[in-house]
Each structure stands twice: as C-alpha cells, then as structure tokens.
Amino acid sequence: MPIYSLDLDRAPATISSRHIKGIPTLLLMRENRVEARADGADLEDLLRLMEAAKPYLKGARQDDEDASKVSPMNALKSAEQMLTESNFSAAQQLFSRALEGNPDGAFRARYGLVRCAYWQLVAAVRKPNQGQEGGEGGQPFDKLVKELSSALCELREHHEEELFGCGQQVRIDSLKQTLLLADAELLVDAWTPDKNRGKEEEKILHLWATGEKKDAIEQALGWYQSVASKDLPGLINAYCLPERRILDRPGGIPTRSIYAQVPHLAIGPESPGPVAPRALLRRLLLAAIDENFIQGKKSLVADSLADLAFLLDKEEFIPFYTRRIFLRRGGRPTYGLGTGKRSGFSKRYWICWPETFYPNTKKMGSPHCDKND
C-alpha cells in the first residue's frame, strides 16, 4: 500500500478540507474519500485504521483463502484491490461473496462483476494473436460474452435507478461508470448475433469491438449522412418533435420513468428520421469520451462532433474577402475599425477580427452610416 506524507505548511488548505486537528494525523483514503483516520497519538484509532486497511494489504490479505470465509464488507474491499491487480477470477468470487448479506454494497459488487467480465473480454478481443480463442485462463470467447451480458442484465435489473442518477449516493466515479457501461454494451452487441441488425451496423460494431474506434465513428458518420440525406422529410419531422428521451438501446430508460410507461412518449425505433444510425452514433460518441474531451482539448469526440455539425451542409464553401483590401504600411488596419474610412476593411471584417471591440453599431446601409459600411 503506498504511503505519502504531506507538509501542511505548503498545503494549508488541507487542514480545513480534511479536518486536521493534530499532528500526526493518519488518513486511510480510497477514491479520494477517507475510510478511516487516526488523529494525534491515539493508539485505538491507529489499531482501528490498521484493521480497516487489512483487505487492501497483500501481506495481511489471504488471497488463497476461501471467499465464503471472508465477511461481505471485507470481501468487497479485497475484490476492488484484486481487480486493480488484474486478478479477475479471485475478484469475481469476492464480488459474489459481497452480495451476500451486504445490501449497502450490492451496487458496487454487481458493478465489480461487470468490470471483471468487461476487462476479460477486452483482453480476449484486443490481445494480438488471440482473437476469439479465449480470455484469461483459457475461457472460451462465447462464455466471456455471455458473462458480460449476464452481469449487465443483473446490474440493470437491480439498480436501474442508481444507473440513471436516482440513487441516494452519488459516486465520484459515476462518469467512469457511465463510460465503461456504454463500452461494455457495445462489445456485447458486437459479438451477439441479431437478425434485426443491418450489415452496416454490424460492420461498425465489429470495428469498435476490435479497438478501431476512429474508423468506427467515421463509418457511423458516413452511414448517418447517407441515410439522413435520402430522408430529409423524416429528418425535418424528427427535428420538429417535442423534446423527449431518446431510446438508443432496449432497456435504456428506467421502467418507473414516465417515458417508459406511456406508449410512444419516448423517441424509439418507430420515430421518423435516421433512427438506427443516430442511435448507434450517439452510443459511440458517449463511449469514446476521454479526459481530453472533458478538459476541452483536442480529442476524437470533439473532431467527430465538428464533422457532424457540417455533415449535411450542401452549400458550397465561399471564402470571405473584405470589400477593398488595402494595407497601409503593412500589417492590420489601425484606423476606421469597420467604419469604412481610411483602412478600406469592411464592417464584417472587424466583426470577425478576434479580440476587437467594434464601435460602429449603426445598421449597415442606414442613412447615418458611412457609405462604405
């Protein structure tokens, strides 16, 4: 277990944020939360903290011990640690043990089972020279897909409200959960045959499942463009519909939601417009969100959204030019600022010029504006 020391003189805000009352203070932290603490030189607090830390320690944790002998709470902690160590088989046993008699940790346990099945399937699909032979421990590929599908169904069945933000506790890793579950659903759909699915959709899902995310999104954009351009009346009708929940995948709306109880209230497969390519493109863009996109940096999702904005634009691109290009002494104009005087640059030029305050607010062509505006 990594142990870090902090100089409070260099981080005075930590005193109030972590409620430091004395020196030394020992904090047991996981996922940016304090699970246990020992303030000052209190021996009882220190022993209680060490007991809480045992499930995370390799030396104190008996990895080979029967999972049934571990308490559900400790089983959940040990399973989380084993999952970080890529010990999926042991983590699955402990997550299953955590479901017994521990209702508070049921969501984390079932979500942990999904993560175990997900990472095993990812390793089986995307590992070179492995293909569809098997995953960890030589498990058949079809079995891994069924395990992931079953774990997702269990999670949706027992915790559908928590998945959609209706739970009592908001987890700090809720964004990671959403992205992982979106990717897991795409993997299951990619490797599960469906007669109602078209060849184009099958091809895009296969590209995504094999790790070709950029090619998959480009193919999805092309598919959406092809279908939408051939059905412009349906696309217009879809835009004119009232704002409603969009069903991108069966089971995507909680059963207690009014959108699931009232027929035709949600936007489903029978809605107008390019329903199938739109649903797949929305799912791909959600699963492709990464840290760069969240921080506003260049990313695959940002580039794809920019392409989507002009996907159906059929107007010819015409570059903008000022009315009279005349540079005095070189460089950008220093006079006029769009009034049409001296510089020869038009009002539109100064509107588009970055970090420029535009003083001429008169309507273009009005009696009191300059003739060149």
Side-chain angles (χ1 to χ4, degrees):
M1 174 179 294
I3 300 177
Y4 302 95
S5 61
L6 177 65
D7 186 359
L8 294 179
D9 293 335
R10 296 186 177 182
T14 309
I15 298 177
S16 58
S17 63
R18 296 300 180 185
H19 306 287
I20 306 297
K21 301 178 181 178
I23 302 296
T25 293
L26 189 61
L27 304 177
L28 175 63
M29 302 186 65
R30 180 170 179 82
E31 297 179 356
N32 202 28
R33 295 189 308 163
V34 179
E35 289 196 1
R37 61 186 300 155
D39 295 292
D42 193 325
L43 183 59
E44 293 183 359
D45 288 347
L46 181 60
L47 294 176
R48 186 163 49 249
L49 182 144
M50 294 174 63
E51 186 67 25
K54 280 186 178 180
Y56 303 126
L57 300 175
K58 286 186 176 182
R61 186 184 68 223
Q62 299 181 5
D63 295 347
D64 298 332
E65 185 180 0
D66 188 1
S68 60
K69 298 180 181 179
V70 184
S71 65
M73 184 175 297
N74 288 339
L76 183 59
K77 294 180 179 180
S78 299
E80 292 278 359
Q81 185 64 26
M82 288 188 177
L83 189 58
T84 61
E85 300 170 5
S86 300
N87 191 351
F88 301 121
S89 58
Q92 283 179 323
Q93 297 179 7
L94 289 169
F95 278 128
S96 301
R97 170 57 180 162
L99 287 174
E100 304 173 6
N102 185 22
D104 295 336
F107 174 77
R108 299 298 303 182
R110 289 192 174 92
Y111 174 62
L113 291 173
V114 172
R115 291 162 64 194
C116 290
Y118 168 80
W119 288 116
Q120 289 186 82
L121 182 59
V122 168
V125 174
R126 299 175 182 174
K127 187 175 181 180
N129 301 326
Q130 181 133 350
Q132 301 185 13
E133 297 296 331
E136 182 196 66
Q139 296 188 49
F141 183 82
D142 294 340
K143 182 181 179 181
L144 295 176
V145 175
K146 291 180 180 179
E147 285 183 358
L148 179 56
S149 178
S150 176
L152 286 170
C153 291
E154 287 283 332
L155 188 65
R156 284 196 298 265
E157 181 181 354
H158 295 89
H159 307 282
E160 65 172 3
E161 294 187 0
E162 294 171 272
L163 290 174
F164 289 94
C166 302
Q168 297 180 356
Q169 183 181 12
V170 179
R171 299 287 301 183
I172 60 174
D173 60 344
S174 57
L175 178 59
K176 292 182 179 180
Q177 293 178 12
T178 302
L179 301 183
L180 186 142
L181 294 175
D183 194 12
E185 291 175 349
L186 288 170
L187 290 179
V188 170
D189 292 347
W191 302 113
T192 303
D194 188 355
K195 297 180 180 179
N196 299 325
R197 195 180 298 146
K199 293 183 178 179
E200 193 70 26
E201 187 174 0
E202 290 280 359
K203 180 182 178 181
I204 295 171
L205 287 173
H206 180 74
L207 287 172
W208 181 271
T210 53
E212 303 292 338
K213 294 185 177 183
K214 184 176 181 180
D215 294 340
I217 293 181
E218 289 179 354
Q219 292 279 349
L221 286 171
W223 184 31
Y224 179 83
Q225 182 183 29
S226 175
V227 175
S229 60
K230 296 178 181 178
D231 186 18
L232 290 180
L235 184 64
I236 296 174
N237 292 334
Y239 274 115
C240 294
L241 287 176
E243 186 176 353
R244 299 176 180 177
R245 289 288 297 270
I246 299 179
L247 183 62
D248 295 330
R249 189 177 188 269
I253 299 178
T255 55
R256 293 181 59 182
S257 172
I258 188 174
Y259 292 99
Q261 297 177 6
V262 179
H264 308 294
L265 187 57
I267 300 178
E270 68 281 354
S271 302
V275 178
R278 178 188 62 197
L280 182 58
L281 185 58
R282 282 166 52 91
R283 293 175 61 191
L284 294 177
L285 291 175
L286 173 62
I289 292 177
D290 54 7
E291 288 295 331
N292 290 334
F293 178 76
I294 296 173
Q295 297 175 6
K297 300 178 181 179
K298 181 178 177 61
S299 63
L300 176 60
V301 178
D303 294 341
S304 302
L305 290 175
D307 294 338
L308 181 62
F310 298 96
L311 197 64
L312 302 178
D313 188 3
K314 297 183 179 180
E315 295 291 336
E316 181 183 358
F317 173 73
I318 301 177
F320 167 75
Y321 296 100
T322 58
R323 297 181 182 178
R324 290 182 299 163
I325 302 178
F326 181 72
L327 297 180
R328 295 179 177 271
R329 301 179 183 177
R332 73 189 187 102
T334 55
Y335 301 101
L337 295 183
T339 61
K341 300 177 180 179
R342 298 186 181 183
S343 64
F345 282 76
S346 66
K347 180 176 182 177
R348 294 186 182 91
Y349 175 86
W350 287 108
I351 291 177
C352 298
W353 189 274
E355 301 179 0
T356 299
F357 173 73
Y358 182 69
N360 186 2
T361 57
K362 298 177 183 179
K363 184 179 180 181
M364 298 179 67
S366 62
H368 300 287
C369 72
D370 190 87
K371 63 179 181 179
N372 294 321
D373 283 352

